[in-house]
Amino acid sequence: MRVLSGIQPTGRPHWGNFFGAIHQYIDLQDDNDGFYFIADMHALTTVRDAKALKQYTLDAALDLMALGLDPKKATLFVQSQVPEVSELTWLLMTGTPMGLLERCHAYKDKKEKGLNADAGLFTYPVLMAADILIYDSEVVPVGQDQIQHIEVARDLAGSFNHTFGETFKLPKAKTLDHSAKVPGTDGEKMSKSYNNTLPLFGNVKQIRKQIMRITTDSRAMEEPKEPEGDHLFQLYRLFSSPEDVETMAAMYRRGGFGYGDVKKAVAEASENYFAEARARREELEANLDYVHETLRDGAARAREVAAGVLSRAQKACGLR
Ligand code: TYM
């Protein structure tokens, strides 16, 4: 089955990116034909510094490979290296109702805050639909915040098929139960734009400090507490075995524990969890030729598939 997903190179990836999405990429790479890419054209809607964008793009490749994405099993590439995607975006755009895009949250949120939105942000979901449809993708592993965009891709594929005949496969989003919406240090969704992220890589001491600053409620720690609604508990669960999660949940329900201890447990568990990836990232950093070669090979493979689907779509609508 063709599985596809993308991540924007807009800075350091965080726990939400990993447990919501990247973890799924890696789980799915063994038994599927995985296509994973770094969405540098989407990042252009926020990063407007050529040097930074180039660096973030390379960093994202290092991150994904260090975390276990295996180029022998899956195809890893950079979005802009497949120009066919931009051509398909235009075809899809001609059949995209304005109202559909007006309802999309990235644009809507910005507009509601009174900020100026550009056409790139407005049409962001159409580029994303092209990303998905051009590889005949069937499953798209993502976090909850991307579900709406995948629905748009499905809608656009459906209406194109209806108008011009069967052309695109209809993709489906895939999310995980406990980590589709990983909370940040303040309990809101973890997101670079909320400044509440815990990064996967970076200075360990610094990350530990950030973990110790996770907000907790003001109720006395002696009082029993329902673990499910607590974001610190949700973060603990990401790294822990079902037995440890049960023990922690029982402790919450009994009361009489210190949040500081839970935070220390989260810090320790997360450091152990990412230790191997951290070491692998350093090795990869010393072997950038291999990373560049991987991205080149990935783009060549992706282009082959993309060219076939683009040509099918062009024929269907009379461009060839
Ligand atoms: P991006 O770069 O914002 O995020 C990458 C992935 O991480 C997931 N994610 C989360 N999951 C759980 N909890 C969180 N707090 C959290 N924060 C982020 C996102 O849902 C996403 O799966 N538009 C996409 C990139 C993209 C794409 C695509 C994805 C471009 N084209 C085609 C899939 C298919 C984005 O901005 O992801």
Side-chain angles (χ1 to χ4, degrees):
M1 192 144 49
R2 173 67 42 77
V3 175
L4 166 130
S5 200
I7 179 162
Q8 284 196 73
T10 45
R12 312 255 47 193
H14 54 70
W15 294 6
N17 297 137
F18 179 74
F19 287 101
I22 301 168
H23 197 291
Q24 299 198 69
Y25 306 172
I26 292 156
D27 284 347
L28 292 165
Q29 71 183 351
D30 289 329
D31 300 325
N32 296 284
D33 188 11
F35 272 45
Y36 301 114
F37 67 94
I38 300 154
D40 58 343
M41 295 201 295
H42 277 112
L44 254 190
T45 61
T46 48
V47 183
R48 295 212 171 81
D49 173 333
K51 229 173 125 191
L53 185 57
K54 260 179 102 161
Q55 186 60 48
Y56 291 160
T57 302
L58 179 62
D59 276 338
L62 286 166
D63 294 334
L64 289 170
M65 290 167 76
L67 290 164
L69 203 143
D70 182 351
K72 287 193 204 76
K73 295 179 182 165
T75 304
L76 175 65
F77 60 100
V78 176
Q79 182 186 36
S80 61
Q81 301 310 297
V82 186
E84 286 79 4
V85 171
S86 303
E87 292 193 49
L88 183 61
T89 302
W90 179 256
L91 298 199
L92 295 173
M93 202 107 82
T94 59
T96 307
M98 297 288 281
L100 185 68
L101 298 181
E102 274 157 9
R103 285 193 296 277
C104 284
H105 57 69
Y107 169 74
K108 213 169 117 195
D109 293 353
K110 203 158 181 180
K111 199 92 201 289
E112 275 164 11
K113 283 191 197 130
L115 299 168
N116 282 330
D118 50 45
L121 185 74
F122 186 63
T123 54
Y124 182 114
V126 191
L127 175 58
M128 187 160 155
D131 284 331
I132 297 171
L133 302 179
I134 206 159
Y135 303 109
D136 278 336
S137 314
E138 290 163 272
V139 173
V140 189
V142 284
Q144 197 187 66
D145 59 353
Q146 297 300 319
I147 292 179
Q148 185 188 38
H149 292 148
I150 294 156
E151 294 296 320
V152 169
R154 229 184 130 79
D155 278 4
L156 297 185
S159 75
F160 191 101
N161 289 350
H162 181 75
T163 310
F164 297 114
E166 211 51 35
T167 306
F168 296 119
K169 286 206 169 144
L170 301 191
K172 267 205 197 107
K174 186 174 174 305
T175 54
L176 294 174
D177 285 347
H178 287 309
S179 53
K181 191 177 172 188
V182 174
T185 52
D186 57 356
E188 296 297 318
K189 184 191 83 164
M190 189 178 288
S191 163
K192 282 167 215 156
S193 39
Y194 301 157
N195 221 352
N196 63 357
T197 61
L198 293 162
L200 299 174
F201 302 111
N203 185 298
V204 175
K205 259 194 178 155
Q206 191 75 31
I207 300 173
R208 199 169 257 254
K209 262 197 199 147
Q210 286 170 269
I211 293 171
M212 296 315 284
R213 282 202 292 262
I214 294 172
T215 57
T216 46
D217 68 20
S218 52
R219 255 199 293 172
M221 293 179 297
E222 281 69 33
E223 272 183 51
K225 197 171 151 63
E226 217 7 80
E228 290 305 323
D230 182 67
H231 56 276
L232 182 57
F233 179 81
Q234 285 171 37
L235 292 170
Y236 177 80
R237 178 161 55 195
L238 298 173
F239 300 100
S240 311
S241 66
E243 297 78 45
D244 288 346
V245 171
E246 235 352 276
T247 311
M248 182 63 80
M251 202 166 93
Y252 264 72
R253 292 196 190 98
R254 244 192 341 265
F257 66 96
Y259 286 119
D261 293 337
V262 186
K263 290 179 189 175
K264 275 194 202 125
V266 171
E268 216 157 277
S270 62
E271 280 160 27
N272 291 336
Y273 193 96
F274 293 121
E276 210 182 304
R278 191 180 279 277
R280 208 158 28 200
R281 200 181 188 289
E282 277 171 23
E283 278 167 31
L284 286 164
E285 228 165 339
N287 197 359
L288 289 183
D289 284 349
Y290 169 64
V291 179
H292 286 300
E293 192 187 303
T294 298
L295 294 175
R296 245 192 329 268
D297 291 351
R301 164 117 212 276
R303 271 198 91 169
E304 241 177 73
V305 179
V309 179
L310 176 65
S311 144
R312 194 201 298 154
Q314 286 171 323
K315 277 186 199 135
C317 64
L319 288 180
R320 276 196 181 200

Coordinates of all heavy atoms in Angstrom, one line a residue, residues 150-195:
I150 N -6.5 16.6 4.8 CA -6.6 15.3 4.0 C -8.0 15.1 3.5 O -8.3 14.6 2.4 CB -6.1 14.1 4.9 CG1 -4.6 14.4 5.1 CG2 -6.3 12.8 4.2 CD1 -4.0 13.7 6.2
E151 N -9.0 15.6 4.3 CA -10.4 15.7 3.8 C -10.5 16.5 2.5 O -11.2 16.2 1.6 CB -11.3 16.2 4.9 CG -11.4 15.4 6.1 CD -12.1 14.0 5.8 OE1 -13.0 14.0 5.0 OE2 -11.6 13.0 6.3
V152 N -9.7 17.7 2.5 CA -9.8 18.5 1.3 C -9.2 17.7 0.1 O -9.8 17.8 -1.0 CB -8.9 19.8 1.6 CG1 -8.7 20.6 0.3 CG2 -9.6 20.7 2.6
A153 N -8.1 17.0 0.3 CA -7.5 16.3 -0.7 C -8.5 15.2 -1.3 O -8.6 15.0 -2.5 CB -6.2 15.6 -0.2
R154 N -9.2 14.6 -0.4 CA -10.2 13.6 -0.7 C -11.3 14.3 -1.6 O -11.7 13.7 -2.6 CB -10.8 13.0 0.5 CG -10.8 11.6 0.6 CD -11.5 11.2 1.9 NE -12.5 10.2 1.6 CZ -12.3 8.9 1.4 NH1 -11.1 8.5 1.4 NH2 -13.3 8.1 1.0
D155 N -11.8 15.4 -1.1 CA -12.8 16.2 -1.8 C -12.4 16.5 -3.2 O -13.2 16.4 -4.2 CB -13.2 17.5 -1.1 CG -14.1 17.3 0.1 OD1 -14.4 16.1 0.4 OD2 -14.5 18.3 0.7
L156 N -11.2 17.1 -3.3 CA -10.7 17.5 -4.6 C -10.5 16.4 -5.6 O -10.9 16.4 -6.7 CB -9.4 18.3 -4.5 CG -9.5 19.6 -3.7 CD1 -8.1 20.4 -3.7 CD2 -10.6 20.5 -4.2
A157 N -10.0 15.2 -5.0 CA -9.9 14.0 -5.9 C -11.2 13.6 -6.3 O -11.4 13.2 -7.5 CB -9.2 12.9 -5.1
G158 N -12.2 13.5 -5.4 CA -13.5 13.1 -5.7 C -14.2 13.9 -6.8 O -14.8 13.4 -7.8
S159 N -14.0 15.2 -6.7 CA -14.7 16.1 -7.7 C -14.0 16.1 -9.0 O -14.7 16.1 -10.1 CB -15.0 17.5 -7.1 OG -13.9 18.2 -7.1
F160 N -12.7 15.9 -9.0 CA -11.9 15.8 -10.3 C -12.4 14.5 -11.0 O -12.7 14.5 -12.2 CB -10.4 15.7 -10.0 CG -9.6 15.8 -11.2 CD1 -9.0 17.1 -11.6 CD2 -9.3 14.7 -12.1 CE1 -8.2 17.2 -12.7 CE2 -8.5 14.8 -13.2 CZ -8.0 16.1 -13.5
N161 N -12.4 13.4 -10.2 CA -12.9 12.1 -10.8 C -14.3 12.2 -11.4 O -14.6 11.7 -12.4 CB -12.9 11.0 -9.7 CG -11.5 10.6 -9.3 OD1 -10.5 11.0 -10.0 ND2 -11.3 9.8 -8.3
H162 N -15.1 12.9 -10.6 CA -16.5 13.1 -11.1 C -16.6 13.9 -12.4 O -17.4 13.5 -13.3 CB -17.3 13.8 -10.0 CG -18.8 14.0 -10.3 ND1 -19.7 12.9 -10.2 CD2 -19.5 15.1 -10.7 CE1 -20.8 13.4 -10.5 NE2 -20.7 14.7 -10.8
T163 N -15.8 14.9 -12.5 CA -15.8 15.7 -13.7 C -15.1 15.1 -14.9 O -15.6 15.1 -16.0 CB -15.1 17.1 -13.4 OG1 -15.7 17.6 -12.2 CG2 -15.4 18.1 -14.5
F164 N -14.0 14.5 -14.6 CA -13.1 14.1 -15.8 C -13.0 12.6 -15.9 O -12.2 12.1 -16.7 CB -11.7 14.7 -15.6 CG -11.7 16.2 -15.7 CD1 -11.4 17.0 -14.6 CD2 -12.1 16.9 -16.9 CE1 -11.4 18.4 -14.7 CE2 -12.1 18.3 -17.0 CZ -11.7 19.0 -15.9
G165 N -13.6 11.8 -15.0 CA -13.4 10.4 -15.0 C -12.4 9.9 -14.0 O -11.5 10.7 -13.6
E166 N -12.5 8.6 -13.7 CA -11.6 8.1 -12.6 C -10.1 8.4 -12.8 O -9.5 7.9 -13.8 CB -11.8 6.6 -12.6 CG -11.7 5.9 -11.3 CD -12.5 6.5 -10.1 OE1 -13.6 7.0 -10.4 OE2 -12.0 6.5 -9.0
T167 N -9.5 9.2 -12.0 CA -8.1 9.6 -12.2 C -7.3 9.4 -10.9 O -6.2 8.8 -10.9 CB -8.0 11.1 -12.6 OG1 -8.9 11.3 -13.7 CG2 -6.6 11.5 -12.9
F168 N -7.9 9.8 -9.8 CA -7.1 9.8 -8.5 C -7.6 8.8 -7.5 O -8.8 8.5 -7.5 CB -7.2 11.2 -7.8 CG -6.5 12.3 -8.6 CD1 -7.3 13.4 -9.0 CD2 -5.2 12.2 -8.9 CE1 -6.7 14.4 -9.7 CE2 -4.6 13.3 -9.6 CZ -5.3 14.3 -10.1
K169 N -6.7 8.2 -6.7 CA -7.1 7.4 -5.6 C -7.6 8.3 -4.5 O -7.1 9.4 -4.3 CB -5.9 6.6 -5.1 CG -5.6 5.4 -6.0 CD -4.9 4.3 -5.3 CE -4.9 3.1 -6.3 NZ -3.7 2.4 -6.1
L170 N -8.5 7.9 -3.7 CA -9.0 8.7 -2.6 C -8.2 8.3 -1.3 O -8.3 7.2 -0.8 CB -10.5 8.5 -2.3 CG -11.5 8.8 -3.5 CD1 -12.9 8.8 -3.0 CD2 -11.2 10.1 -4.1
P171 N -7.5 9.3 -0.8 CA -6.6 9.0 0.4 C -7.4 9.0 1.7 O -8.4 9.7 1.8 CB -5.6 10.1 0.4 CG -6.4 11.3 -0.2 CD -7.3 10.7 -1.2
K172 N -6.8 8.4 2.7 CA -7.4 8.4 4.1 C -6.3 8.8 5.1 O -5.2 8.3 5.0 CB -7.8 6.9 4.4 CG -9.2 6.6 4.1 CD -9.8 5.5 5.0 CE -11.0 4.9 4.4 NZ -10.9 3.6 3.8
A173 N -6.7 9.6 6.0 CA -5.8 10.0 7.1 C -5.7 8.8 8.1 O -6.6 8.0 8.3 CB -6.3 11.2 7.9
K174 N -4.5 8.7 8.7 CA -4.3 7.7 9.8 C -3.7 8.4 11.0 O -2.7 9.0 10.9 CB -3.4 6.6 9.3 CG -3.3 5.4 10.2 CD -2.5 4.3 9.6 CE -2.3 3.2 10.6 NZ -1.6 3.7 11.8
T175 N -4.4 8.3 12.1 CA -3.9 8.9 13.3 C -3.8 7.9 14.4 O -4.4 6.8 14.3 CB -4.8 10.1 13.8 OG1 -6.1 9.5 14.0 CG2 -4.9 11.2 12.9
L176 N -3.0 8.2 15.5 CA -2.9 7.3 16.6 C -3.8 7.7 17.8 O -4.0 8.9 17.9 CB -1.4 7.3 17.1 CG -0.4 6.7 16.0 CD1 1.0 6.9 16.6 CD2 -0.7 5.2 15.8
D177 N -4.2 6.8 18.6 CA -5.2 7.1 19.6 C -4.6 8.1 20.7 O -5.2 9.1 21.0 CB -5.6 5.8 20.4 CG -6.6 5.0 19.5 OD1 -7.1 5.6 18.5 OD2 -6.8 3.8 19.8
H178 N -3.5 7.7 21.2 CA -3.0 8.5 22.4 C -2.1 9.7 22.0 O -1.7 10.5 22.8 CB -2.3 7.6 23.4 CG -3.2 6.8 24.1 ND1 -4.3 7.3 24.8 CD2 -3.2 5.4 24.3 CE1 -4.9 6.3 25.4 NE2 -4.3 5.1 25.1
S179 N -1.8 9.8 20.7 CA -0.8 10.9 20.4 C -1.1 11.6 19.1 O -0.3 12.2 18.5 CB 0.6 10.2 20.3 OG 0.6 9.2 19.4
A180 N -2.4 11.7 18.8 CA -2.8 12.5 17.6 C -2.8 14.0 18.0 O -2.7 14.8 17.1 CB -4.3 12.1 17.2
K181 N -2.8 14.3 19.3 CA -2.7 15.7 19.6 C -1.9 15.8 20.9 O -2.4 15.8 22.0 CB -4.1 16.3 19.8 CG -4.1 17.8 20.0 CD -5.6 18.2 20.1 CE -5.6 19.7 20.5 NZ -7.0 20.1 20.8
V182 N -0.6 15.8 20.7 CA 0.3 15.8 21.9 C 0.3 17.2 22.5 O 0.5 18.2 21.8 CB 1.8 15.4 21.4 CG1 2.8 15.6 22.6 CG2 1.8 14.0 20.9
P183 N 0.1 17.3 23.8 CA 0.1 18.6 24.4 C 1.5 19.2 24.6 O 2.5 18.4 24.7 CB -0.5 18.4 25.8 CG -0.2 16.9 26.1 CD -0.1 16.2 24.8
G184 N 1.6 20.5 24.6 CA 2.9 21.2 24.8 C 3.0 21.5 26.3 O 2.2 21.1 27.2
T185 N 4.1 22.2 26.6 CA 4.4 22.5 28.1 C 3.3 23.3 28.8 O 3.3 23.3 30.0 CB 5.7 23.3 28.2 OG1 5.6 24.5 27.3 CG2 6.9 22.5 27.7
D186 N 2.4 23.9 28.0 CA 1.3 24.7 28.7 C 0.0 23.9 28.6 O -1.1 24.5 29.0 CB 1.2 26.0 28.0 CG 0.9 25.9 26.5 OD1 0.9 24.8 26.0 OD2 0.8 26.9 25.8
G187 N 0.0 22.7 28.1 CA -1.3 22.0 28.0 C -2.0 22.2 26.7 O -2.9 21.4 26.3
E188 N -1.7 23.2 25.9 CA -2.3 23.4 24.6 C -1.6 22.4 23.6 O -0.6 21.9 23.9 CB -2.0 24.8 24.1 CG -2.7 25.9 24.9 CD -4.2 25.8 24.9 OE1 -4.8 25.5 23.8 OE2 -4.8 26.0 25.9
K189 N -2.1 22.3 22.4 CA -1.5 21.4 21.4 C 0.0 21.9 21.3 O 0.3 23.1 21.1 CB -2.2 21.5 20.1 CG -1.6 20.6 19.0 CD -2.1 20.9 17.6 CE -1.3 22.0 17.0 NZ -1.5 22.1 15.5
M190 N 0.9 20.9 21.3 CA 2.3 21.3 21.1 C 2.5 21.8 19.6 O 2.2 21.1 18.7 CB 3.2 20.1 21.3 CG 4.7 20.4 21.3 SD 5.9 19.1 21.7 CE 5.6 18.7 23.4
S191 N 3.0 23.0 19.5 CA 3.2 23.6 18.2 C 4.2 24.7 18.2 O 4.3 25.5 19.2 CB 1.8 24.2 17.8 OG 2.0 25.1 16.8
K192 N 5.0 24.7 17.1 CA 6.1 25.7 17.1 C 5.5 27.1 17.2 O 6.1 28.0 17.8 CB 6.8 25.6 15.8 CG 7.9 24.5 15.8 CD 8.4 24.2 14.4 CE 8.6 22.7 14.2 NZ 8.6 22.2 12.9
S193 N 4.2 27.3 16.7 CA 3.7 28.6 16.7 C 3.2 29.0 18.1 O 2.9 30.2 18.3 CB 2.6 28.8 15.6 OG 1.8 27.7 15.5
Y194 N 3.0 28.1 19.0 CA 2.6 28.4 20.4 C 3.8 28.5 21.3 O 3.6 28.8 22.5 CB 1.6 27.4 21.0 CG 0.4 27.3 20.2 CD1 -0.4 26.1 20.3 CD2 -0.1 28.2 19.3 CE1 -1.5 25.9 19.6 CE2 -1.3 28.1 18.6 CZ -2.0 26.9 18.7 OH -3.1 26.7 18.0
N195 N 5.0 28.2 20.8 CA 6.2 28.4 21.7 C 6.1 27.5 22.9 O 6.5 27.9 24.0 CB 6.3 29.8 22.1 CG 7.7 30.3 22.1 OD1 8.6 29.4 21.9 ND2 8.0 31.5 22.3

